[in-house]
Amino acid sequence: MLNELAHFSLNIALGFAVLGTIIPLLGATLRRSSWMQLASVFALLQFLLVAFTFGVLTLAFVTSDFSLRLVVLNSHTLKPMIYKIAGVWGNHEGSLLLWVLILTFFAACAALFGRRLPQSLLARVLGVQSAITTAFLAFVLLTSNPFTRVAFPPFNGQGLNPLLQDPGLAFHPPFLYLGYVGLSITFSFAIAALLEGKVDSAWGRWVRPWTLAAWIFLTIGIGLGSWWAYYELGWGGFWFWDPVENASFMPWLISAALLHSAIVVEKRDALKAWTILLAILAFGFSLIGTFIVRSGVLTSVHAFANDPERGVFILMILAVFFGGALLLFALRAKAMDSKGVFAPVSRESALIANNLLLAISCFVVFVGTVWPLVAELLMDRKLSVGPPFFDLAFTPFMVALAVILPIGSTLPWKRARRAHITRLWPVALLCLAVVGLAWAMQTGRSLIGPVGLGLGVWLVMGVVIELYQRCGRGAGKMRRLLRLPLADWGKAVAHAGLGITIFGVAGITAWQVEDIRVLEIGQSAELAGFTITLEAVEDRRGPNYLTTMADVALSRQGQPIAMLHPERRYYPVAEMPTTEAGIDSGLWRDIYVVVGDAQPEGGYAVRSFIKPLANWIWSGAIIMALGGFLSLFDRRYRMAPGAAREPGPEAAQ
């Protein structure tokens, strides 16, 4: 009964989404206040109905209700509870329902927290958001119904993909979707501004918190996915430039550019048209990512579906919203005149350079991701674009971005003098010294490591110099520092987090040590001063899997350090093996060990790595997200400028 009621709720939600699109947009055009007020009501009703539906589906997974086809295909009674819950979004239909839930959640938040917005702007924002919800609810109901019944329910299900049965990946999709879908509200703000023909500093302040929230969740989601790939897949990498990885990275790059561009709109009344375009592109790349994951046009271990019918439907959604938004932008961009004037050397110019570098970087990733598809369609050739292309084409832009960030942060608005730039000379000299020292200590290796270390120090020390400048001169520096707005602290922390991540990427890329050999029980191997001893290999049983677990002793100069337990698991229900690495984590390095199958001649294949600064990558991501949270709680966003609500024709009656 609950399942039928939940399915019915989705249909009712679709009806409210249609009404929430037509009535508020029409009310804003006709200046009908009562019609515009209904926008918030429709947004809240959509969220409540979809939340009820999602709750019922979650209950079906928790209670192993095998009368639903989705539960049969993605759950099993032996699964731990956390993976039963994760199974809700570990498939196409459930993850799409989560997509819609988050879409309506952001609309409900805008309705609740956007009461200070001009009434017509809020009505248009919620109207556009309801239009997006209409499209995706129709997609769910017509092609991806999560409540399809099974005529004869089995006693047990087929289980969840074993690769998804991991804490890191259990939480990765919700955070990623909060970022993906959160960009829909910035898109709605952009379309609403184009419909109103007005973008001002107040609009820039309104749109920044929503962009910031989406960027924070994307940062956490991408970080979790990278961390999961590192320790779960057994190959020891943190980023493979997989199409689905790129699908989440592209909106992250554009949303970062949008954050910086909105600052210029708010502070200097400039870059209006560019900011609107970035808001459209950010959500556009989210839709492109959805198409990549669910259409099957590109192969990936992360892809949810391989269904041409679904791919065509998503392509239609992409064409209507992304194509329609770009057309509207082309028609109304001239109305986005910017009044701010600034010199070539100023903070505005630095932010423009920042935006261009991020946008070009995103374009490079996009070309590398879709080029195999283009080549197959146009030239009938199967091509593969891998890490060498991305590393070569993408890295220079990130290096330039890292160089510009500290300079731009210390420049004043409108016009800068030479003295503002020369303040960073001590930091530049320190970075050159770090690069030189690292180059001298390594013997004939790549320049990536020293340059990465130098850039990391440059970003972190640039933050220190900026905060020192903000303290002013004379007594009371610490008091003035503590009184800085949270947004300024957030910017500083986020930029420092980026520096730490670059530091980690440089270390693990340039100085990793790898060893592959066959070891018998009791044998040892030397790895850059560490001793790895294979002490035992035993077959064991987990809650829903069989495992071959090794005991690997790690020592240095005869002193024990840790006992690692790499595994090779086999999930009988899914008939699929997985690899669990044994990792000894430290501040400066990880010791990473994977034990393979037994060899015909005896012994086991053992692959071991030393990964310098590996944890700095994810620590930097956490720090970046923390910086975003600090900025998000700045009181200036909670007190965004409001506007008097214009009375419509009905108000005078």
Side-chain angles (χ1 to χ4, degrees), residues 260-504:
H260 292 85
S261 182
I263 295 173
V264 184
V265 175
E266 179 187 350
K267 301 289 186 182
R268 297 289 301 136
D269 198 31
L271 300 186
K272 295 179 180 179
W274 174 246
T275 304
I276 292 288
L277 179 60
L278 286 176
I280 294 171
L281 289 175
F283 185 58
F285 276 111
S286 293
L287 292 177
I288 290 171
T290 303
F291 175 72
I292 289 173
V293 173
R294 300 176 189 278
S295 64
V297 297
L298 292 172
T299 303
S300 167
V301 296
H302 303 84
F304 273 121
N306 188 2
D307 189 334
E309 179 186 352
R310 292 169 176 171
V312 170
F313 204 114
I314 298 173
L315 201 58
M316 291 170 57
I317 295 174
L318 180 63
V320 169
F321 287 98
F322 192 33
L326 291 177
L327 177 62
L328 181 61
F329 174 79
L331 296 174
R332 303 298 297 271
K334 290 183 179 179
M336 308 291 122
D337 292 332
S338 296
K339 301 176 182 177
V341 178
F342 50 88
V345 181
S346 61
R347 183 173 293 191
E348 292 94 329
S349 296
L351 287 169
I352 289 174
N354 162 290
N355 271 226
L356 290 175
L357 289 169
L358 287 168
I360 294 171
S361 301
C362 179
F363 179 73
V364 168
V365 176
F366 176 72
V367 169
T369 303
V370 302
W371 182 247
L373 177 62
V374 174
E376 186 172 355
L377 288 175
L378 300 182
M379 298 178 284
D380 196 25
R381 294 178 58 192
K382 289 190 176 293
L383 298 177
S384 176
V385 178
F389 165 80
F390 290 104
D391 293 342
L392 185 63
F394 178 81
T395 303
F397 298 107
M398 287 295 99
V399 171
L401 179 67
V403 170
I404 288 174
L405 273 179
I407 298 174
S409 297
T410 56
L411 292 178
W413 294 102
K414 200 170 183 179
R415 182 183 297 275
R417 297 189 302 272
R418 181 181 299 178
H420 294 111
I421 300 176
T422 55
R423 290 172 182 171
L424 288 172
W425 277 115
V427 177
L429 292 175
L430 174 63
C431 294
L432 289 174
V434 170
V435 171
L437 178 63
W439 177 253
M441 291 177 65
Q442 66 178 22
T443 55
R445 293 188 178 181
S446 167
L447 195 61
I448 292 176
V451 170
L453 294 184
L455 287 174
V457 172
W458 171 252
L459 281 165
V460 174
M461 293 306 297
V463 167
V464 173
I465 294 295
E466 180 190 357
L467 292 175
Y468 180 80
Q469 287 182 212
R470 297 294 302 274
C471 291
R473 298 180 179 179
K477 283 188 175 183
M478 184 56 66
R479 185 171 62 253
R480 287 192 292 272
L481 185 65
L482 294 176
R483 289 180 179 177
L484 285 178
L486 280 178
D488 292 345
W489 274 107
K491 179 188 72 172
V493 171
H495 286 184
L498 177 61
I500 291 170
T501 294
I502 290 175
F503 208 83

Side-chain angles (χ1 to χ4, degrees), residues 568-626:
R568 288 188 62 81
R569 294 179 179 177
Y570 178 74
Y571 291 79
V573 174
E575 298 183 350
M576 182 175 175
T578 65
T579 300
E580 303 286 328
I583 304 174
D584 178 56
S585 296
L587 177 62
W588 300 107
R589 66 19 175 203
D590 276 4
I591 307 296
Y592 187 105
V593 180
V594 177
V595 174
D597 294 326
Q599 302 299 300
E601 65 275 11
Y604 295 84
V606 177
R607 189 175 187 182
S608 52
F609 302 85
I610 293 180
K611 295 183 171 292
L613 306 177
N615 288 302
W616 291 53
I617 298 172
W618 303 289
S619 299
I622 293 171
I623 291 171
M624 279 191 279
L626 176 61

Side-chain angles (χ1 to χ4, degrees), residues 83-120:
Y83 303 131
K84 287 185 177 182
I85 297 173
V88 178
W89 54 77
N91 55 83
H92 168 73
E93 292 82 359
S95 65
L96 194 60
L97 186 60
L98 177 64
W99 218 103
V100 178
L101 175 66
I102 295 172
L103 193 65
T104 59
F105 169 74
F106 274 96
C109 288
L112 293 173
F113 301 115
R115 295 173 182 173
R116 291 178 58 84
L117 294 173
Q119 189 178 50
S120 60

Side-chain angles (χ1 to χ4, degrees), residues 118 121 192-200 203 272 276 332 335-336:
L121 178 64
L194 289 173
L195 292 173
E196 294 218 335
K198 180 183 179 182
V199 175
D200 53 17
W203 181 90
K272 295 179 180 179
I276 292 288
R332 303 298 297 271
M336 308 291 122

Side-chain angles (χ1 to χ4, degrees), residues 522-539:
Q523 280 190 329
S524 300
E526 296 296 321
L527 181 68
F530 292 90
T531 301
I532 294 173
T533 304
L534 182 62
E535 295 198 343
V537 178
E538 297 180 359
D539 292 332

